[in-house]
Amino acid sequence: MLRQPKVGAAQTSPTLPTPAQGVRFTTPIVETPGIVVLASWIWRLTRFLVALPFRFPVLVATVTVSFAAWWWLGWPGLAGLWATAAVTSLVWWRTWPDSYRTWVTLRMLAWWRHVFVYRRHWQPVLVISGLAESYQERRYLPRIRRVTCDTWADRVRVSLVTGTAPADFEHRVTELAHGFAAPSCRVIANGPRDITLEFPRRDTLAEPLDAFPMTHHVELDALPVGRREDGSPWLLRLHGTHVLVVGVTGAGKGSVIWSAVRAMLPTLADGTAQVWAIDPKRMELAYGQDLFAQYADDGESAVVLLERAVADMQERAQRYAGKQRSHVPTTDDPFIVVLLDEVAFLTAYHPDRDVRRRAENAIATLTSQGRSVGFAVLAALQDPRKEVMNLRNLFPDKVALRLDEASQVDMVLGEGARERGAEAHLIDPTLPGVAYVRMEGSPAPVRVRASYVSDDDIAAMVADHGAEVV
């Protein structure tokens, strides 16, 4: 007997999929036979044992020889073998310490850090920093190929996952450095899907550098002004470029400026180079003004000096037109460095608007036209904001000393510099002269430290070369 529905009750029908819903397919769960799992483990073990002598030849050879000595000669033979090896190692270490360090100490250190630092923490560091890739619910990690060590840094050679690029790692250098407890990290692209991560083990720039000794041979496109993080000399290029040095008070701008002047001294003495200096503070450059061909320390005289440099540059360009395309320093056409300390005084802070306008026009003309005819501008600045200095992009090479804010790093060194590891806003105030440098044509910033040129060094420079400067 059919029952009538109660009054007020709604009649329902079975739930059916709506046309907008798609059909979902799921992968069936298939139990893998035990024999397949066992065969897989046997294959992995065989592959590991075959590759072991090639990956760790010294370790495998040591274990093999030790086992053979014990097998054939017993425990006395094994003890004699290790005693001979210990004596040989001691003699090698005392007689040829550099060779021993290269072939023994650093290789053992590389093995230790490969196993207990990088391989141990590789997966969590890369996953958390966002460098692990996922595809079809599987996670893919870049593979460590090799770890090598030198006296100051570890170099981890990495094979990238298909579809990734070195730039992905460059944007995560801060995370990688902190993940592996290193002061910094640098990415070196070796080739397709092949990069090297460079992790310093200690801060090689922690100790101040004395002024470099003066030499007779000068290359104006490679002036030694300090040291790079890898221990090599920091060679500052002036001929054929312009350099902007930015840093807060006490960051070490004077170290960069005076190191460059000191490296140029022989060319200043023989007349093939000149420095035209502008020193609004009358403190930094006035101490050695006898080394400069021209010197100005107030707004009006500074603008006159800049406009004179523009006129000489244009006259030289007119003579070169159609005859030569590059400048070779001579006594008739010397290489001229226009040295501007506290350039913001002329471009933003001077009370006379006409002086500011003329100075900005002259600096823009020099930086846009002077490279090919032997004029370079070396400018120092404290505040890199555009309203203070809107000509930053006309300086191909930039030096960022200690800065106030993280946003200023990209203002000085270009977009993406902070992501590539240039943490100029985190430089320790007790390390004046430490900076990040970004050269023309190279997006990767390099950490450096300028040598310190003391007042006594400047006085000696003036006494030895001041009278010789043309």
Side-chain angles (χ1 to χ4, degrees), residues 60-73:
V60 173
T62 301
V63 172
T64 303
V65 172
S66 299
F67 179 78
W70 172 80
W71 181 263
W72 295 104
L73 303 175

Side-chain angles (χ1 to χ4, degrees), residues 31-73:
E31 294 185 1
T32 305
I35 187 64
V36 176
V37 177
L38 180 60
S40 174
W41 280 104
I42 293 175
W43 163 248
R44 292 183 181 182
L45 179 60
T46 304
R47 186 175 61 179
F48 171 76
L49 294 176
V50 171
L52 193 62
F54 300 97
R55 295 180 60 187
F56 306 103
V58 177
L59 177 62
V60 173
T62 301
V63 172
T64 303
V65 172
S66 299
F67 179 78
W70 172 80
W71 181 263
W72 295 104
L73 303 175

Side-chain angles (χ1 to χ4, degrees), residues 249 253 278 280-281 340-346 349 379-382:
T249 301
K253 297 187 294 295
I278 297 176
K281 293 190 303 184
L340 298 170
D341 188 29
E342 299 300 339
V343 65
F345 172 76
L346 296 175
Y349 303 146
L381 181 68
Q382 288 190 29

Side-chain angles (χ1 to χ4, degrees), residues 104-158:
V104 179
T105 306
L106 293 178
R107 285 175 176 261
M108 293 179 63
L109 178 64
W111 174 82
W112 176 269
R113 294 187 65 81
H114 185 179
V115 175
F116 294 99
V117 176
Y118 299 108
R119 185 171 293 279
R120 179 182 179 185
H121 302 289
W122 187 249
Q123 180 173 347
V125 170
L126 265 66
V127 171
I128 295 174
S129 62
L131 291 171
E133 303 297 331
S134 297
Y135 178 71
Q136 292 185 350
E137 300 182 359
R138 294 188 62 182
R139 179 175 290 160
Y140 296 88
L141 289 174
R143 180 172 59 88
I144 299 178
R145 297 175 59 181
R146 187 181 181 187
V147 176
T148 58
C149 295
D150 60 17
T151 55
W152 74 279
D154 301 337
R155 291 175 177 83
V156 183
R157 193 164 184 178
V158 178

Side-chain angles (χ1 to χ4, degrees), residues 309-375:
V310 170
D312 289 357
M313 178 201 69
Q314 293 175 339
E315 185 273 334
R316 186 180 294 181
Q318 185 176 7
R319 287 190 288 108
Y320 284 6
K323 298 179 181 179
Q324 66 183 80
R325 297 178 58 187
S326 59
H327 173 257
V328 178
T330 63
T331 54
D332 294 329
D333 285 337
F335 171 58
I336 295 179
V337 178
V338 180
L339 179 56
L340 298 170
D341 188 29
E342 299 300 339
V343 65
F345 172 76
L346 296 175
T347 60
Y349 303 146
H350 195 281
D352 191 333
R353 180 180 300 177
D354 184 62
V355 169
R356 297 198 305 268
R357 178 187 58 81
R358 290 166 57 194
E360 189 168 314
N361 290 340
I363 295 172
T365 305
L366 285 170
T367 51
S368 61
Q369 303 177 18
R371 299 203 305 175
S372 60
V373 292
F375 281 75

Side-chain angles (χ1 to χ4, degrees), residues 23 61 116 217 232 256 381:
V23 180
F116 294 99
H217 178 69
S232 62
V256 179
L381 181 68

Side-chain angles (χ1 to χ4, degrees), residues 184-202:
S184 62
C185 174
R186 190 164 70 100
V187 180
I188 304 171
N190 304 319
R193 297 177 55 193
D194 184 8
I195 65 171
T196 297
L197 303 178
E198 187 176 79
F199 295 100
R201 293 190 301 276
R202 58 186 177 86

